[in-house]
Amino acid sequence: MVTDPEKKSTGEMLSDVLNHVSALVRKEVDLARAEVSENLNRAGVAIGMIVAAVVIALTALNVLSAALVSALTEAGIDAGWSALIVGVVLAIIAFVLLGKGTNDLKLSSLAPSRTAKNVQRDANAVKDAYDDK
């Protein structure tokens, strides 16, 4: 094969370009695959937080119900108010977990944004190289 770029035939140059484009596309696909995998892992954690929020919310509902019953039957005895405080704290924790989980599941956070930026950069580089000639 001829090593001097000025002496390469059109076919050889076209072959080189196709090889480079093919390698670039393979690397971008690999990057997209890795990024989607990473985002799916984050989505799994977010779903786990939502499940935990549901479990804690159900517990909070039980505790708040018990607190209300206790408060009504005992009318001001400390045990009812203690149960009420615990129920409110659990409800706050559930609310925070639910907010974090749903925030992490937004479609914009799951999109392969780094890959999109790289493809745009590559397209601009090819366009600039073409415009320079």
Side-chain angles (χ1 to χ4, degrees), residues 3 57 85 100-101 107 112:
T3 57
I85 291 169
K100 174 75 172 120
L107 286 179

Side-chain angles (χ1 to χ4, degrees), residues 22-45:
S22 174
L24 178 63
V25 168
R26 274 195 304 274
K27 288 178 183 179
E28 293 299 343
V29 167
D30 290 344
L31 177 61
R33 189 176 296 137
E35 193 171 356
V36 166
S37 174
E38 177 184 319
N39 290 343
L40 286 176
N41 287 339
R42 284 190 12 232
V45 170

